[in-house]
Amino acid sequence: MTDAVVVGSGPNGLAAAVVLAAEGVRVRVLEAAETIGGGTRSSELTLPGLLHDECSGFHPLAVDTPFSRRFDLRSLGLTWLWPEVQYTHPLDDGRGGAAYRSVHETAAGLGADGPSWRRVFGALTERFEGITEDFLRPMLHVPAHPVMLARFGAYAAMPAALLGRRWSTPEARALFGGVAAHALRPFGSPMSSAIGIALGTAAHAYGWPVAQGGSRTIAAAMAALVEKNGGTIETGVRVESLAELGTPDLILLDTAPADAVRLAGNRMPARTARAYRRYRHGPGAFKVEYAVEGGVPWAHEPSRRAGTVHVCGSFAETAEAERQVARGVMPERPYVLVGQQFVADPSRSAGNVHPLYAYAHVPSGYTGDATDAITAQIERFAPGFRDTVRATHVRSTTDMSVHNPNYVGGDIVTGANSAWQLVFRPRPALDPYATGVPGVYLCSAATPPGAGAHGMCGYHAARSALAYLERGAGRESGDAGA
Ligand SMILES: Cc1cc2nc3c(=O)[nH]c(=O)nc-3n(C[C@H](O)[C@H](O)[C@H](O)COP(=O)(O)OP(=O)(O)OC[C@H]3O[C@@H](n4cnc5c(N)ncnc54)[C@H](O)[C@@H]3O)c2cc1C
């Protein structure tokens, strides 16, 4: 019987294990942490009864993918819940922009910029299913939907600073700036609109749902499927070298590229090792969980009903904060992403006390304490916020990388979203999952299509590994690339 070891149980490791187990491969998943899930863990971090997502909170790109269509996680306990407002961006004086599922409802709230918002996001939303088929995979392929992909690509290729000029009202500009900042890139850099356009369109096409009972239920559903198909999962096992794993037919690494080099040692061809060592990580995140009584008193009313609130002020302020972070400077007023999962999933709260999730973009490896800066940013748009806080839990960039070695320097997206790495991650190669070691594949978010708890990196990596077996394992190096 064919056997495989998957190192790491993040959503990509688990998705790879699901695909392999479904094909009759005997799969063993080894996880360093005591709990499965990597970036999809949830726990009580502040007060008893309050459930916090430790990493991923919102899942617009996980709802409808080739993986989710083939493996129905909803039958294994995963339930998506949607907030009424998908994301907002408050401004001073109680104003702000709000994104709803409906493009028209969103446009209606953006005054003079409504028609332009509709023009950019309307057509993309209608065809998003086809577009995702093309972008949730390695960039180098013959597109299935070339016309729509070209339209999507034309926006995605632009620097966010340039695309942002389409809008003139502070509300629409800030709304776009807030979603573009998810790329963790300076707004002047090429392709810095790509992630914002994808997530912004996804908000209208699929919404930004949360998992009922916490993101941990995503991992639990995948784990149940692995085990149902005969696979096993062991926690508390940190793999230090491939040599420990015996001689399985396949090894899939849900790790950062540099860790793959360390694990493979001199088995890895020098050119892959060089490319993996050169792989660049992005800025960091500093995360604060709050227990808040009565919710956050946002002055901008739609923000009270939103799942995600982007907090930074105007487009220009967001652009400046992202520019400073990229240059290694901690902004006085950082970009803060606030998650109010409880508005969609009240089961996470204890009575009138709710779990609030917030993280700021900070320089890679930032060693200071960003707690006060985060609290001050929220207080700026929600006067009285400080008085609602009953408890906090803080995770610095160092804590982030100890919690999960894939988050190097606090890089929560496992690799800088530079134009080069958006196209060629983790290195230029026909098969970006192949490590050059026969039968050993990289399956983490460092591979296409990149970060997110969608499992698509693991899905493609497993298919690549299965194709290698079909071609006759051992007859080639597994390195299809340059
Ligand atoms: C604060 C934060 C907020 C985020 N928000 C969102 C969001 O809202 N929506 C979204 O879609 N995504 C979000 N993400 C990103 C998302 O969580 C990641 O992109 C995703 O989890 C990547 O999955 P992965 O399987 O590649 O790796 P990970 O989830 O990072 O998992 C890797 C796993 O491998 C294990 N491992 C590594 N090395 C070894 C080893 N040597 N031996 C054994 N085990 C090992 C690690 O312990 C870990 O469990 C967020 C991440 C963070 C941290």
Side-chain angles (χ1 to χ4, degrees), residues 405-444:
N406 292 21
Y407 302 152
V408 178
D411 167 21
I412 62 174
V413 291
T414 318
N417 285 316
S418 62
W420 175 262
Q421 288 193 174
L422 281 175
V423 180
F424 300 114
R425 67 193 299 142
R427 65 184 178 121
L430 286 178
D431 182 348
Y433 307 97
T435 63
V437 183
V440 180
Y441 289 80
L442 191 65
C443 71
S444 70

Side-chain angles (χ1 to χ4, degrees), residues 7-13 30-33 35 37-41 54-60 237-240 254-255 259 262-263 285 287 357 359 400 403-407 412-414 443-446 450-454:
V7 178
S9 71
N12 286 313
L30 302 176
E31 167 55 54
T35 320
T40 51
R41 283 172 274 178
E54 300 191 32
C55 299
S56 85
F58 303 89
H59 304 95
V237 183
R238 183 176 294 274
V239 176
E240 300 290 353
D254 188 8
T255 68
D259 271 344
R262 194 176 51 79
L263 294 178
K287 196 159 187 281
Y357 152 122
Y359 65 84
M400 203 70 87
H403 181 64
N404 186 336
N406 292 21
Y407 302 152
I412 62 174
V413 291
T414 318
C443 71
S444 70
H454 41 61

Side-chain angles (χ1 to χ4, degrees), residues 1 18 33 81 110 211 234 247 251 261 298 308 322 338 340 417 481:
M1 189 179 185
V18 164
L81 296 173
L110 295 176
E234 294 160 50
T247 53
I251 297 175
V261 178
W298 300 107
T308 302
E322 292 304 282
V338 177
Q340 306 184 125
N417 285 316

